Structures are given as C-alpha cells and as structure tokens.
Amino acid sequence: MNIKDLYRQLIMDHYKNPQNKGLIKEDDYITVGVNNPSCGDEIAVQVKINGNIVEDIRHEGTGCSICCASASVASQLLKGKKVSEVNELINLFYDLMKEELPKEKEILLEDAAIFQGVAKFPARIKCATLSWLGIEKAINTNKEED
Ligand code: ZN
C-alpha cells in the first residue's frame, strides 16, 4: 500500500468512525456553525474552554468524507491542548493546505497530515479546512481566556 492509499484509507476510517461526534447541550460549550456551499458541507463545532485549555471539542453535521473526517481528526488532535497551541496547530494545518508547511513540522499535525493530498485539489481544500475554521472562530470568541 503506498502512502496515498494509506492516507485515503485513514480518511475513510475517520469518516466511518468519527471521533467526538455529536453536540453537547451545556452552557459552557461555545457553538459555531460553518458551511461550504460549493460542496454542500454544513457542520457545527463546539468547544469547551477551561482556563487556557481547550477541554473538549465536538462536531456534528453533514458533509463529504473529507469534511467529516477532517472534523474528526481536528477534534482528536486539538482536544486537551492549550488555546495558544490550538491556534498554532490550526495555522500549521492551513500551511499544509497551502503546501507551505515545512516537512519537519508535519509530525506536529499527527493524523491531520493525511489531508496533505487534498492540497492538490483546490476545490476540496475548503472541505478540509472547514471544521478548523469553525474551531478557530469558537476559541477566539472567548478572548479573555487566551
Ligand atoms: Zn466537502
């Protein structure tokens, strides 16, 4: 199995078995809705911030395999990290999608590096970044926690 097939397989695994899926009805969760009309992806992401830690990340919605898998991977990678680290990782992911991420930094993105092939398809980049944009928006609505 070559690396491209392996990445495709991992994306399908996350799509079929998403992590942290389903919204929580609690007041301390910040919910942000984001959509990507060009593909029809529509998702909501939720973050729970405790002090300077992103304690929980949830997602829910409908979208293509790339969009849903990316939300799963993002929630898994970013959950439990500091707000500042989360912002940094989100920017690294955007760099990956622009093909501007230095090779040695790929490891910091863990499973999220599986989306690097998507960077070759400009129409699908928005699918991959949608949940990350939502998480970024959600954590930055809470400025005093930063
Ligand atoms: Zn999509």
Side-chain angles (χ1 to χ4, degrees):
M1 192 183 262
N2 69 33
I3 192 92
K4 271 190 205 152
D5 288 337
L6 178 68
Y7 285 165
R8 202 171 296 130
Q9 183 66 49
L10 283 166
I11 290 172
M12 286 318 287
D13 284 352
H14 273 280
Y15 178 56
K16 287 182 191 147
N17 299 301
Q19 305 296 305
N20 306 302
K21 192 167 172 159
L23 301 184
I24 307 266
K25 287 193 186 77
E26 277 177 31
D27 290 343
D28 46 1
Y29 279 80
I30 304 160
T31 308
V32 167
V34 278
N35 66 86
N36 172 22
S38 66
C39 177
D41 306 317
E42 255 189 73
I43 59 167
V45 297
Q46 279 189 319
V47 299
K48 182 185 183 183
I49 295 172
N50 188 356
N52 64 344
I53 302 288
V54 180
E55 207 172 70
D56 198 11
I57 301 179
R58 310 289 305 179
H59 60 96
E60 178 68 81
T62 52
C64 65
S65 57
I66 292 172
C67 169
C68 295
S70 186
S72 172
V73 168
S75 66
Q76 202 174 39
L77 175 70
L78 304 174
K79 189 173 154 172
K81 294 207 163 68
K82 283 185 192 158
V83 172
S84 55
E85 276 180 284
V86 169
N87 273 315
E88 207 179 302
L89 287 165
I90 290 171
N91 284 317
L92 292 182
F93 187 74
Y94 296 158
D95 285 347
L96 181 78
M97 286 298 111
K98 287 184 277 185
E99 299 192 294
E100 286 171 4
L101 184 69
K103 267 272 171 227
E104 71 274 12
K105 289 202 168 176
E106 268 174 27
I107 192 159
L108 298 171
L109 286 173
E110 299 175 22
D111 274 6
I114 63 179
F115 294 96
Q116 57 183 258
V118 176
K120 301 257 182 280
F121 304 93
R124 309 308 299 278
I125 291 174
K126 194 87 194 285
C127 301
T129 56
L130 189 64
S131 54
W132 300 72
L133 285 164
I135 293 167
E136 185 183 28
K137 227 172 168 180
I139 60 175
N140 293 306
T141 54
N142 211 341
K143 276 294 177 205
E144 76 276 5
E145 302 281 4
D146 202 49

